[in-house]
Amino acid sequence: MNCKVEQKVERGCPQGGVLTPFLWNFIMDDLLIKLREKFSHAYSQGFADDLATLQSGLDRFTVVSLMQQLLNFVNGWCNKVGLPLNPHKIESIWFTNRKTMIRHFLRLKGVKLQPVSMVKYLGIELDSKLNWNQHCRNRAKKAQIVSAQCKRAIGKTWGLSPKVHKWIYRAVILPTISYGVVVWNTALYRVNKCIPLERVQRTALLSITGGLNSTPTAGMEMLLKIMPIILFLKIIALQTRNRLKANGMWLNWQGFGYKRQASHVERIEAMAHEIPITSVPCSYKFNWLPKRSFDIICHNRESWLVNKFDRETDCVQCFTNSSKSNDSTGCAFVIYDENQILERIFPLGEMCTVFDSEVYAIMQAAHVLESMALSSRRVRIFTDSMSALQAILKCYTASTLVWKCTLALNKLGEKYSPEVFWIPAHSGYAGNEKADVLAKEAAERNFCGPEPALPISLSCIQGAVTKIKCKIINTYEITRGGKSRKDS
């Protein structure tokens, strides 16, 4: 039935309503689309009801003229939809190296918008010179307040254990400091801006260890396996860059601006250049998984001991497995159909995770089974990877490999009646043990061809960064060991 229903909204949306953010996004999305179409020379973005616009130009007269046109358009659009702007809640700022304030103003509804020296947008404090002095101090001050509140519950001989206090530092204080570090990471290369942040970590380390005030910071960091705060923040910035790039939201603004020092993008890209895997295209795309034409069955170990689901003879059985050996990954499957046995192995090289290889083995098995003339319509695929089955069971995925695997199983379901079983690993089940032997053989073989063999997942890239993080910690322990700041 084709019909159209219209209802005039006479009241505002209730605060905290489930539908409220969705309806608001409908309104703001229209404004952002029109700004990108009519003012392509400016960059505009919004978060909820916070709208920010960035305009650059050859001189201040051009910048003011272009920005005034954009502001007039936004004002007209807001009046049209019944959301009038308040001039006193709008802030403008010039990003420049000039020591004197630029005396060129924007106007809204007859009100002159005075430029300010610092604005706060989404918790990030932007100053006119982008030196991040005030932001670093405020981040450190906020973290010190949280640390002081935690310290009140700890004494020399009573209170929270050092283990709990260390967990609080990592789970509460560090996220407070590292918020938005991908934007202000250029401050990490200036010693005077790092001092407040290092002071926060030193205070927390002294509280955790109960050490004397003369205890070296490097010694406490080595003892507690905590990375120096500046290195930690650089790693967080790099991981954020990888996540944004995987989502297609990373703005690779290199070479923008007139400053001689490197921008935050150039700093992060320089770090990423040292890790080759971060330059490989990432397989990270949100997809709704289609309706399944196959069944996924996950029995517990006790049910397997009683029923022996792998011993039924009136169905075609397929066992999949994967293995990782010496940083090389491989997968395999074996098919049992009456008197014939079909084996396949797939060396996948070094740039592949065990999870991806498990999913890939299921997908390849589904393709081969669909192309075969099987003796029975009942097909059972056994895998010992619960994580792979849970990924396929979801209604959505960010992995193209999981999405393709689901499509392959659905295509198999058009011809046969497939069932995907979880089977306990290393429990003496013949088919699973055979697939495990084949997977180990595949992992030991060299992959022929350019890597990666499979699309790189975001977890694989982040795992490579984590390895660098562990390497930094080990190097730091060896080189700086128990040296104090004065000795280093």
Side-chain angles (χ1 to χ4, degrees):
M1 181 177 66
N2 296 324
C3 64
K4 183 178 181 180
V5 179
E6 294 184 0
Q7 180 67 37
K8 185 177 180 180
V9 179
E10 299 179 353
R11 297 182 180 180
C13 298
Q15 186 174 3
V18 178
L19 196 58
T20 303
F22 184 69
L23 295 176
W24 177 257
N25 288 339
F26 264 125
I27 299 175
M28 286 300 294
D29 191 56
D30 177 61
L31 175 59
L32 292 173
I33 292 175
K34 289 181 178 179
L35 287 177
R36 289 168 186 168
E37 292 176 351
K38 296 180 179 295
F39 302 94
S40 58
H41 50 77
Y43 174 75
S44 301
Q45 73 169 26
F47 183 85
D49 59 344
D50 290 328
L51 179 66
T53 301
L54 181 65
Q55 175 65 58
S56 61
L58 296 177
D59 55 70
R60 55 186 181 274
F61 301 101
T62 303
V63 172
V64 170
S65 176
L66 294 174
M67 185 60 75
Q68 186 65 57
Q69 296 177 24
L70 188 147
L71 185 60
N72 294 337
F73 174 81
V74 173
N75 184 42
W77 181 89
C78 291
N79 291 332
K80 182 179 178 181
V81 299
L83 296 170
L85 292 175
N86 184 353
H88 301 289
K89 291 187 176 181
I90 297 177
E91 294 180 317
S92 64
I93 183 173
W94 288 90
F95 295 110
T96 176
N97 280 330
R98 290 172 61 99
K99 294 182 179 180
T100 58
M101 182 68 68
I102 299 178
R103 298 299 178 183
H104 289 77
F105 308 103
L106 299 173
R107 295 181 181 273
L108 177 64
K109 297 180 180 181
V111 179
K112 186 185 295 184
L113 303 180
Q114 295 284 350
V116 296
S117 60
M118 188 184 69
V119 296
K120 188 174 183 179
Y121 183 69
L122 301 181
I124 304 296
E125 292 163 308
L126 305 163
D127 57 272
S128 59
K129 299 184 184 301
L130 292 180
N131 55 28
W132 309 107
N133 284 331
Q134 188 64 33
H135 180 77
C136 290
R137 285 195 295 266
N138 290 343
R139 286 286 102 190
K141 182 179 179 180
K142 188 174 181 180
Q144 285 175 342
I145 293 174
V146 177
S147 179
Q149 292 174 345
C150 297
K151 194 174 181 180
R152 293 173 60 185
I154 302 172
K156 291 290 184 180
T157 58
W158 57 270
L160 300 176
S161 65
K163 182 178 180 181
V164 175
H165 194 190
K166 180 181 176 182
W167 176 86
I168 292 175
Y169 175 69
R170 285 183 166 177
V172 180
I173 299 176
L174 283 182
T176 301
I177 299 175
S178 62
Y179 174 74
V181 68
V182 68
V183 178
W184 54 273
N185 72 86
T186 53
L188 304 178
Y189 297 87
R190 298 295 183 89
V191 177
N192 61 326
K193 299 177 179 63
C194 297
I195 291 176
L197 305 177
E198 292 176 338
R199 189 178 295 118
V200 173
Q201 174 145 311
R202 176 172 175 80
T203 302
L205 294 175
L206 288 172
S207 181
I208 295 172
T209 59
L212 300 175
N213 292 334
S214 59
T215 306
T217 303
M220 291 186 289
E221 289 171 345
M222 182 191 68
L223 181 65
L224 297 175
K225 296 284 186 178
I226 293 179
M227 180 179 290
I229 185 67
I230 305 305
L231 294 178
F232 171 79
L233 293 175
K234 290 180 180 179
I235 293 295
I236 294 296
L238 181 58
Q239 290 178 336
T240 305
R241 173 259 187 196
N242 295 336
R243 177 172 52 83
L244 292 175
K245 188 175 182 180
N247 283 278
M249 301 170 65
W250 177 246
L251 300 177
N252 195 14
W253 285 359
Q254 296 192 47
F256 279 61
Y258 299 96
K259 289 189 172 184
R260 293 185 178 180
Q261 61 263 33
S263 66
H264 68 287
V265 175
E266 292 169 337
R267 291 288 190 184
I268 296 179
E269 290 297 333
M271 292 177 57
H273 184 70
E274 299 177 1
I275 308 176
I277 194 174
T278 59
S279 61
V280 179
C282 180
S283 168
Y284 190 86
K285 183 180 179 181
F286 182 87
N287 287 299
W288 292 102
L289 293 179
K291 185 178 180 180
R292 295 188 297 272
S293 60
F294 56 92
D295 296 325
I296 295 181
I297 304 171
C298 299
H299 293 294
N300 55 31
R301 294 180 179 272
E302 290 74 17
S303 299
W304 270 92
L305 292 174
V306 175
N307 297 292
K308 306 292 184 182
F309 299 101
D310 63 325
R311 295 186 179 179
E312 292 194 18
T313 57
D314 59 342
C315 63
V316 178
Q317 295 183 347
C318 175
F319 296 86
T320 68
N321 213 322
S322 71
S323 179
K324 192 176 185 72
S325 175
N326 297 326
D327 293 332
S328 182
T329 312
C331 65
F333 66 82
V334 55
I335 299 174
Y336 297 95
D337 182 17
E338 288 188 342
N339 296 326
Q340 64 173 335
I341 300 176
L342 179 63
E343 300 175 354
R344 291 287 187 273
I345 63 174
F346 303 93
L348 299 176
E350 298 180 359
M351 302 174 67
C352 181
T353 63
V354 175
F355 170 80
D356 290 337
S357 61
E358 292 279 5
V359 176
Y360 184 73
I362 298 174
M363 182 182 70
Q364 289 297 329
H367 284 313
V368 173
L369 288 168
E370 192 270 334
S371 63
M372 294 175 60
L374 303 178
S375 60
S376 173
R377 280 190 53 83
R378 293 185 62 198
V379 177
R380 287 188 172 183
I381 301 176
F382 297 91
T383 177
D384 58 10
S385 175
M386 182 64 75
S387 59
L389 297 183
Q390 289 175 344
I392 298 173
L393 274 172
K394 290 184 177 180
C395 58
Y396 64 91
T397 184
S399 170
T400 55
L401 197 61
V402 173
W403 181 65
K404 290 180 180 180
C405 180
T406 306
L407 295 181
L409 290 171
N410 277 341
K411 190 174 181 181
L412 177 63
E414 296 175 0
K415 190 174 180 181
Y416 300 103
S417 299
E419 295 175 327
V420 185
F421 277 77
W422 174 79
I423 185 172
H426 309 294
S427 299
Y429 300 102
N432 180 257
E433 296 297 331
K434 179 63 177 178
D436 184 55
V437 172
L438 294 174
K440 290 180 179 179
E441 180 183 348
E444 293 173 356
R445 291 192 181 185
N446 295 326
F447 174 74
C448 298
E451 292 196 44
L454 300 178
I456 293 295
S457 63
L458 178 60
S459 60
C460 185
I461 296 178
Q462 302 293 50
V465 176
T466 302
K467 287 182 180 179
I468 298 296
K469 178 180 176 181
C470 297
K471 184 178 179 181
I472 290 174
I473 293 177
N474 294 334
T475 305
Y476 183 73
E477 291 179 10
I478 296 173
T479 58
R480 289 198 62 186
K483 292 184 179 181
S484 66
R485 179 181 293 274
K486 295 181 180 179
D487 297 331
S488 59

